[in-house]
């Protein structure tokens, strides 16, 4: 039933269940921040709390299996692009004002481009996104500009789509 509800086939749901059970180390039926923090690829993620908050449907800081499947469905092949973009944007929008401020863009740049000067990269990125979207906002990236910019990126749909039926 969850697969139908969130646009996933039965094999994908079974693979997600297996992965969920691996993450649920205390067998509580939920995945918590501590469970995710143990993952090597996300351990140093400065946005772990923000990611979890966006994945969690009832804001109790615990992911149920339904939360897990719902979010997987959002990033599955064939799912609409807009919810994926909103999710990504919300991870970096700490104050939930639908704009990425200079400091939020700098923090994002530190994660995405760790070898580059975050201050300079943020300035360049804000200018580029707003220019592409015909926005005039020198100190932030409004969500509307982010969405326009991202939709113009080559292969963005493929980059934000996961085939959960494959290992």
């Amino acid at each position: 039933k969850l697969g139908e509800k969130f646009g996933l086939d039965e094999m994908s749901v079974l693979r997600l269940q297996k992965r969920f059970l691996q993450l649920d180390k205390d067998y509580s039926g939920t995945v918590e921040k501590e469970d995710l923090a143990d993952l090597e690829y996300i351990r140093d993620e400065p946005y772990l709390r923000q990611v979890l908050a966006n994945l969690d449907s009832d804001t109790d800081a615990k992911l149920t299996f339904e939360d897990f499947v719902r979010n997987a469905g959002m990033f599955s092949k064939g799912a609409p692009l807009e919810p994926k973009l909103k999710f990504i944007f919300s991870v970096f929008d700490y104050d939930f004002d639908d704009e990425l401020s200079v400091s939020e863009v700098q923090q994002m740049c530190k994660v995405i481009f760790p070898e580059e000067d975050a201050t300079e990269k943020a300035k360049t990125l804000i200018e580029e996104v707003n220019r592409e979207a015909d926005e005039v906002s020198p100190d932030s990236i409004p969500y509307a500009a982010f969405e326009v910019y991202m939709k113009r990126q080559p292969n963005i749909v493929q980059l934000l789509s996961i085939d959960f039926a494959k290992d």
Side-chain angles (χ1 to χ4, degrees), residues 39-50:
L39 299 174
E40 184 177 331
Y41 57 87
I42 200 168
R43 182 180 306 135
D44 298 324
E45 173 61 62
Y47 296 98
L48 181 57
R49 183 178 299 122
Q50 196 82 346

Side-chain angles (χ1 to χ4, degrees), residues 88-153:
I88 291 167
F89 188 88
S90 67
V91 168
F92 297 103
D93 184 17
Y94 272 113
D95 56 9
F96 305 106
D97 65 352
D98 283 333
E99 291 191 347
L100 297 179
S101 67
V102 172
S103 64
E104 289 168 334
V105 176
Q106 286 173 342
Q107 291 301 315
M108 180 179 70
C109 288
K110 285 179 185 177
V111 172
I112 298 172
F113 310 107
E115 304 299 319
E116 297 185 36
D117 175 14
T119 302
E120 191 56 39
K121 188 68 177 179
K123 180 182 174 192
T124 303
L125 190 57
I126 289 170
E127 289 172 2
E128 183 179 331
V129 170
N130 284 309
R131 183 177 55 250
E132 279 273 331
D134 295 323
E135 282 281 333
V136 182
S137 184
D139 297 326
S140 68
I141 298 175
Y143 176 75
F146 173 83
E147 184 177 28
V148 168
Y149 178 81
M150 293 301 287
K151 285 180 174 180
R152 291 181 180 170
Q153 300 309 302

Side-chain angles (χ1 to χ4, degrees), residues 49-114:
R49 183 178 299 122
Q50 196 82 346
V51 168
L52 186 59
N54 283 287
L55 294 175
D56 181 18
S57 64
D58 61 8
T59 66
D60 65 354
K62 297 177 182 181
L63 294 180
T64 64
F65 183 59
E66 185 168 335
D67 290 331
F68 199 70
V69 174
R70 177 178 40 80
N71 287 289
M74 178 174 51
F75 283 95
S76 66
K77 287 186 172 191
L81 180 60
E82 289 76 12
K84 298 173 189 183
L85 294 177
K86 284 181 190 238
F87 176 83
I88 291 167
F89 188 88
S90 67
V91 168
F92 297 103
D93 184 17
Y94 272 113
D95 56 9
F96 305 106
D97 65 352
D98 283 333
E99 291 191 347
L100 297 179
S101 67
V102 172
S103 64
E104 289 168 334
V105 176
Q106 286 173 342
Q107 291 301 315
M108 180 179 70
C109 288
K110 285 179 185 177
V111 172
I112 298 172
F113 310 107

Side-chain angles (χ1 to χ4, degrees), residues 2-70:
L2 281 179
E4 290 176 21
K5 185 175 179 180
F6 300 114
L8 295 167
D9 62 36
E10 187 176 339
M11 182 60 71
S12 296
V13 173
L14 290 174
R15 289 186 192 278
L16 288 168
Q17 183 177 35
K18 179 180 175 184
R19 185 65 182 136
F20 183 84
L21 293 172
Q22 290 170 339
L23 292 170
D24 182 15
K25 293 182 178 48
D26 63 0
Y27 306 105
S28 64
T30 61
V31 173
E32 300 171 36
K33 179 183 172 198
E34 295 76 23
D35 297 321
L36 297 175
D38 288 343
L39 299 174
E40 184 177 331
Y41 57 87
I42 200 168
R43 182 180 306 135
D44 298 324
E45 173 61 62
Y47 296 98
L48 181 57
R49 183 178 299 122
Q50 196 82 346
V51 168
L52 186 59
N54 283 287
L55 294 175
D56 181 18
S57 64
D58 61 8
T59 66
D60 65 354
K62 297 177 182 181
L63 294 180
T64 64
F65 183 59
E66 185 168 335
D67 290 331
F68 199 70
V69 174
R70 177 178 40 80

